[in-house]
Amino acid sequence: MEDRFWETKSLDDMSREEWEAICDGCAKCCLHKFIDDDDAVEAAPTHYMEHNETIHYTSIACDLLNTKTCSCTRYAERQQLVPDCVKLTKENLKDIFFMPTSCAYRRLHEGRGLPSWHPLLNRGKKTAMHREGMSVRGKTVPESEADLDNFEEYIAIWPLEDLD
């Protein structure tokens, strides 16, 4: 990969290896989220959000997440094991509403560049990200241990934080 390739290439022009390297590995995308919808009868996945709706992040993490490394323990199989696990692609990037504002893909898509704590700016290490509190490390409960009937109790605002 070219040095600082994200500064000279658009997300659309990146190779598969470059695309994967853009992920900061924060694991915020592995958190359960919900959208306030007074008309909904039961929870269901969605591919869009109405203008009057708000997305809420929770501290409930997917059971496949290793919360120490902030990585999926079954990455290659995640979509088969968790059908509503979203695979972010160049094609669905325009529907990025469900990603936190600190997400590297979202930041680049919006023209904001990578944050100083991003692993690509720190010799490939996640240390700065964890130190700045930008990952899920130490902040979550596994979905298998959460009281999903009372998911509102797990609403968290920290996933919405975005530094530089």
Side-chain angles (χ1 to χ4, degrees):
M1 287 187 295
E2 281 179 40
D3 192 35
R4 301 181 76 91
F5 63 89
W6 61 91
E7 293 177 343
T8 58
K9 289 186 177 182
S10 71
L11 288 166
D12 282 335
D13 293 335
M14 290 182 188
S15 69
R16 180 171 171 77
E17 181 184 17
E18 291 167 335
W19 177 267
E20 290 292 326
I22 290 299
C23 178
D24 52 47
C26 70
K28 291 178 184 176
C29 57
C30 300
L31 298 174
H32 286 259
K33 300 165 260 324
F34 68 92
I35 297 173
D36 272 337
D37 184 352
D38 294 333
D39 297 329
V41 177
E42 62 182 59
T46 186
H47 298 289
Y48 65 93
M49 194 165 89
E50 300 292 340
H51 293 289
N52 62 339
E53 294 176 329
T54 304
I55 190 165
H56 295 283
Y57 287 80
T58 71
S59 57
I60 303 170
C62 174
D63 280 336
L64 298 181
L65 181 65
N66 175 325
T67 57
K68 182 173 182 178
T69 63
C70 293
S71 58
C72 183
T73 59
R74 308 281 295 273
Y75 186 76
E77 313 164 89
R78 71 192 187 284
Q79 291 185 284
Q80 290 78 30
L81 298 170
V82 182
D84 61 343
C85 177
V86 176
K87 180 179 180 179
L88 191 60
T89 66
K90 295 173 186 180
E91 292 73 33
N92 70 6
L93 189 60
K94 66 185 180 337
D95 302 318
I96 202 164
F97 72 88
F98 56 88
M99 299 299 278
T101 56
S102 62
C103 171
Y105 295 104
R106 183 171 180 170
R107 289 178 61 104
L108 291 177
H109 179 70
E110 295 173 351
R112 295 186 290 134
L114 295 182
S116 62
W117 48 264
H118 194 285
L120 285 173
L121 298 172
N122 291 280
R123 298 181 314 255
K125 306 289 184 195
K126 292 183 177 182
T127 308
M129 177 180 61
H130 296 313
R131 185 178 52 247
E132 294 291 337
M134 296 308 294
S135 72
V136 303
R137 183 185 274 180
K139 301 175 185 175
T140 64
V141 59
E143 64 187 306
S144 58
E145 296 176 20
D147 178 5
L148 297 179
D149 290 332
N150 294 306
F151 64 89
E152 298 94 345
E153 294 177 16
Y154 298 93
I155 292 175
I157 57 171
W158 56 264
L160 301 173
E161 294 172 355
D162 191 4
L163 300 177
D164 63 66

